[in-house]
Amino acid sequence: MSSQENSEENLPAEQGTAHDAAHGGGTAVVQHDEDPFADPGLPAHKPRIQDIDERAAKRSERSVALMFTLSMLATIGFIASFVIFPIDKIVYVWPIGHVSALNLSLGLTLGLALFLIGAGAVHWARTLMSDVEVADDRHPIEAAPEVKAKVLSDFADGARESAIGRRKLIRNTMFGALAMVPLSGVVLLRELGPLPEDKLRKTLWAKGKLLINMNTNEPLRPEDVVVGSLTFVKPEGLEESNHDFNNEIAKAAVMIVRIQPEEIKDKRELEWSVDGIVAYSKICTHVGCPISLYEQQTHHVLCPCHQSTFDLSDGARVIFGPAGHPLPQLRIGVNAEGNLEALGDFEEPVGPAFWERG
């Protein structure tokens, strides 16, 4: 094979065809360039079954309305979960294991409510809203009058094609679902903390409650309290084994001091005492620290946290420190058995001031 033959075999097909045509061996083929970015246009619109069958459209409408209705029920379930399940209730759910019943119910109901709104909107768009594709030229972004008119016209066309005015069942249930979902956020405000109600104004002290010595756990008698001594007591029936002991003792802790009656300066303090035995709240009125330091000669008690000082011989008024008001006094008496007892609860809230105190 010659080099000339090899070179001819390696020639492009166009050259070979032109060579044959020049020698009468065939006809030359001329190729035309095509635009690879030519606009193919929009495909022909294919109507859906809902476009041609009103019964199918009604079925889709009922399906969407059902999803929106179930979303409303799920939102109600979310709110009901706060009432039904206590925060410390634990349940076993396979295969998750032991979980909080409240957290599980809140997650399921809120997730279901949001999912059904989204699923209903997608099903509505795919089956009932117009799916005709429209090509529109791009225009400069400016607020020209004709642009505004076109936007309003397009909005009106979209509202008409969505059938929101004609499909009243879908419209009403959708508005209901969207209106109820925000209620979930309102209920979550509960988690900012428990409502205090009147719990800050009341303690376990009541008329007839015995004063129980916190060291001996026995009822306290007047002869057990000597001049210059400091004794801490709790209300009868409050035990350390109680699940709410810490919360209740934080309000009901009381200190007992015996002062010579002639040394008591405050008239009401003297009337509420028994032979010079006075009972005052142990909770400081500044930030709620327990008071435990007592000066026998001056009858002053000192809070160890911020050094607020109260004069127990003069209505426990503040004589030093940041506390804002005196310690509340508990009115006491002696029962038929000779034990000290409370004659009621504190007349004012114990502990630090709060904005609703009034």
Side-chain angles (χ1 to χ4, degrees), residues 140-174:
I141 301 176
E142 57 184 9
E146 55 271 15
V147 173
K148 294 182 180 179
K150 187 177 186 307
V151 169
L152 294 176
S153 176
D154 291 344
F155 179 80
D157 291 342
R160 182 178 63 257
E161 292 174 355
S162 69
I164 192 171
R166 190 160 59 94
R167 309 290 181 182
K168 295 183 179 180
L169 182 60
I170 289 181
R171 180 190 63 194
N172 296 338
T173 52
M174 180 192 69

Side-chain angles (χ1 to χ4, degrees), residues 8 32-33 68 83-84 114 134 140 169 172 178 186 194 212 214 216 228 257 286 306:
E8 289 179 354
H32 299 280
D33 294 334
F68 289 155
V83 180
I84 297 174
L114 297 175
V134 179
L169 182 60
N172 296 338
L178 293 176
V186 175
I212 304 299
M214 293 201 57
T216 64
V257 174
H286 177 217
H306 305 97

Side-chain angles (χ1 to χ4, degrees), residues 211-216 220-234 253-259 269 276-283 289-304 310-313 316 327 340:
L211 277 64
I212 304 299
N213 191 318
M214 293 201 57
N215 292 326
T216 64
L220 196 65
R221 304 174 67 87
E223 56 267 24
D224 298 332
V225 185
V226 299
V227 176
S229 66
L230 178 66
T231 306
F232 300 120
V233 297
K234 63 181 180 179
V254 166
M255 55 184 173
I256 300 293
V257 174
R258 189 163 200 163
I259 306 173
E269 178 182 355
I277 300 174
V278 295
Y280 280 99
S281 171
K282 183 184 176 182
I283 310 303
C289 295
I291 297 174
S292 57
L293 303 177
Y294 174 59
E295 295 178 353
Q296 295 179 348
Q297 289 77 18
T298 61
H299 307 302
H300 294 169
V301 288
L302 178 69
C303 176
F310 306 86
D311 186 357
L312 295 188
S313 65
L327 297 173
L340 291 173

Side-chain angles (χ1 to χ4, degrees), residues 251-269:
K251 298 183 295 180
V254 166
M255 55 184 173
I256 300 293
V257 174
R258 189 163 200 163
I259 306 173
Q260 295 293 352
E262 59 271 15
E263 295 182 6
I264 297 179
K265 307 171 186 176
D266 185 81
K267 181 179 179 181
R268 192 185 78 163
E269 178 182 355

